[in-house]
Structures are given as structure tokens and as C-alpha cells.
Amino acid sequence: MSDSIIVGVTDANSSQRAVDWAAARARRGGESLVLFSVVGGATGAVGEDDVLTAAVAATRERLEHQAGLLRSAGVSCEVRVSHGNPVAELVEASKDARLLVIGGEKRAQGRRGQHGYRIAAGSHSPVVVVPLDAPADGTGVVVGVDGSEVSDAAVAFAASEAERFGETLTIVSAWMPVAVPGDFGVYPDLYLTDLNAITQSAVDRVAETVGEAYPDLDVQTRVVEGDPAAAIADAAGAARLVVVGSHGRGAFARFLLGSVSEEVVSQVTTATAVVR
């Protein structure tokens, strides 16, 4: 893994916000930035080679201009342009990245949103999805936990990010009673109390482990009843970064986010890192 942060540059509205976020992160972390754009793949039509050549050249010129502005602002920056399938190209590029940063489109935005989910799930490096309305001056890192190995990886990444930039780490978990069809009535108080206590105990263990690894890190915990994605979104507030794990596995499943991760990416207005 290199120290480079790769940011996928497109014509989507959120792309410039992703570039801004990645540039700020690279500047603070002393890392280099790669502006990476993918021109659509070939279909075999007559005269297409000339079209692709012109498109790649125009795209490179646009990115070089943007890179020049970033260099003048103190960011080490280079440009890469390729052509082909955007998902496949960005996933492949992530093999050599510390972070892959992409713009986040709302779920209703069609294929752009679908591409973002597939890139986030299939990437070899953590992916940060930056929505258009992500706060520019956020601080703190929020991580959602559920006790899984993927959750452990998300916590490790989140703690490292928070410690590196001297920010507070907030560990969030949510619990829900067993769903019962029909008119079940009221859940026993003892049952609900125990669910909360079990979840709090698990979160406290995670916080203790983080504290042992990062003794100077300010670690807070938050345990609530309700939907996990909603709990994470509520805790995000003005945080700089939210972190979740992806449960994608196998040749096909690796391009699918877990349901909670997908909900967080689609709903939260904070930049969200997806960690495998």
C-alpha cells in the first residue's frame, strides 16, 4: 500500500466536494493525491479510437489544470486517466492506495449511486464516500460496531484516523428487540434492559481495547435502541468522518455492501469510510 490518496473525478455534482475533502486530508496527513478519471470503454464502433484519444486528452488537460491549483496550495498531486469500466478501473487502482475517495450520489441518482456502492464494496483499500453536502469543517470520527470481524477492522481504521489527527472517537452501536408479527403487546422491561446492557458491555470492551492501543485518544461510546443506520446517522452530526464495515464476500458478494453500510452511505451527509 502506498501513501497516496486516489480520488475518482467525474462530472457528478459531488465530485468536486470529494476532491476538496481528499485534498484537505492529504494536506493534513502529508500524503500525495492522485486525481483519477475514467473515460468510457470502447464499443468497437468505426472511428471510436479517435474519439477515445480525444476524450482522454481533454480529460487529462482538465485534471492537470486542477492538479496545478492543488500543487499551488501545497498538495502533492499527480494525474491518471484511463478508459474502460469505471467500477473495475477504480477497484483495480485501489490496490495501490491508502484511501480511495469518491463522490457520493443519493440513491435516487441512478447508476452513479449504484457505481458508488459497488466501488465501496469491492475496493481493496478503505473507500471514503463524500456527499455533496458534507461539512467542510467537521471534526471527530464516528464508527458503527456490531461485534463482527469487519466491525473490528472498521474500529481499527477509525481509531487510527482519530488518533492521527487528534480528534475524538465515538463508538456507536444499536440494539433492537426481536421482531414479532401481529399484536404482540409490550416487551418485558427486563428483556429490554438486558438487551441494552449486553450491547453496552460489548461496546465498552471495544472502547477498552482501543484505549489500550491509543492511551491518549478521547474515546466516547453511544448505545441506543433502534435502527443501526439511523443511530450512526444521528451520531454523525458535524463529524469529519463516519466509518462502517462492508460485509461483501466472494466474487459476486464483494461488490455488495451490507444493508447497514449501504443505508449509512446513502443517508449520512458526513464523509463515510467503508472498510473491508
Side-chain angles (χ1 to χ4, degrees):
M1 180 183 295
S2 74
D3 285 333
S4 295
I5 297 174
I6 297 178
V7 54
V9 182
T10 71
D11 60 353
N13 292 332
S14 60
S15 181
Q16 184 58 52
R17 186 69 194 92
V19 171
D20 293 343
W21 190 96
R25 172 66 173 73
R27 187 184 299 111
R28 290 182 68 187
E31 296 147 326
S32 60
L33 188 66
V34 178
L35 302 182
F36 187 25
S37 195
V38 182
V39 177
T43 61
V46 175
E48 188 172 59
D49 288 346
D50 291 340
V51 172
L52 282 175
T53 298
V56 167
T59 300
R60 184 177 298 280
E61 182 179 2
R62 177 168 57 88
L63 292 190
E64 287 290 359
H65 174 72
Q66 196 167 21
L69 296 176
L70 291 171
R71 293 183 192 115
S72 66
V75 179
S76 174
C77 187
E78 62 178 273
V79 166
R80 289 175 59 185
V81 180
S82 68
H83 63 84
N85 180 286
V87 173
E89 292 291 318
L90 284 168
V91 168
E92 179 65 21
S94 71
K95 290 180 178 179
D96 300 316
R98 175 176 293 276
L99 287 178
L100 174 61
V101 182
I102 60 176
E105 299 294 322
K106 297 296 185 182
R107 178 174 295 170
Q109 295 288 328
R111 292 190 64 187
R112 280 180 179 158
Q114 294 171 14
H115 284 171
Y117 298 144
R118 295 188 67 201
I119 292 166
S123 175
H124 299 275
S125 69
V127 176
V128 177
V129 183
V130 185
L132 181 61
D133 48 357
D137 56 352
T139 183
V141 179
V142 173
V143 60
V145 301
D146 62 7
S148 66
E149 291 184 5
V150 169
S151 177
D152 292 342
V155 170
F157 176 84
S160 177
E161 278 286 304
E163 191 273 341
R164 186 176 191 183
F165 297 107
E167 297 176 329
T168 297
L169 174 67
T170 302
I171 302 172
V172 180
S173 191
W175 58 270
M176 291 187 295
V178 173
V180 180
D183 186 13
F184 176 72
V186 179
Y187 290 98
D189 288 341
L190 182 60
Y191 169 63
L192 298 179
T193 301
D194 197 42
L195 279 176
N196 186 81
I198 290 171
T199 307
Q200 183 68 62
S201 178
V203 169
D204 288 343
R205 287 195 297 272
V206 173
E208 182 179 357
T209 299
V210 171
E212 291 173 352
Y214 301 96
D216 296 327
L217 181 61
D218 179 19
V219 181
Q220 300 181 3
T221 64
R222 184 167 180 170
V223 173
V224 299
E225 176 187 2
D227 175 71
I232 295 170
D234 185 58
R240 175 178 65 88
L241 185 66
V242 169
V243 184
V244 293
S246 168
H247 291 272
R249 288 292 184 270
F252 175 73
R254 72 186 296 261
F255 288 101
L256 300 175
L257 290 178
S259 59
V260 172
S261 300
E262 184 171 325
E263 287 295 321
V264 172
V265 170
S266 66
Q267 293 180 15
V268 173
T269 57
T270 303
T272 302
V274 179
V275 180
R276 296 183 64 226

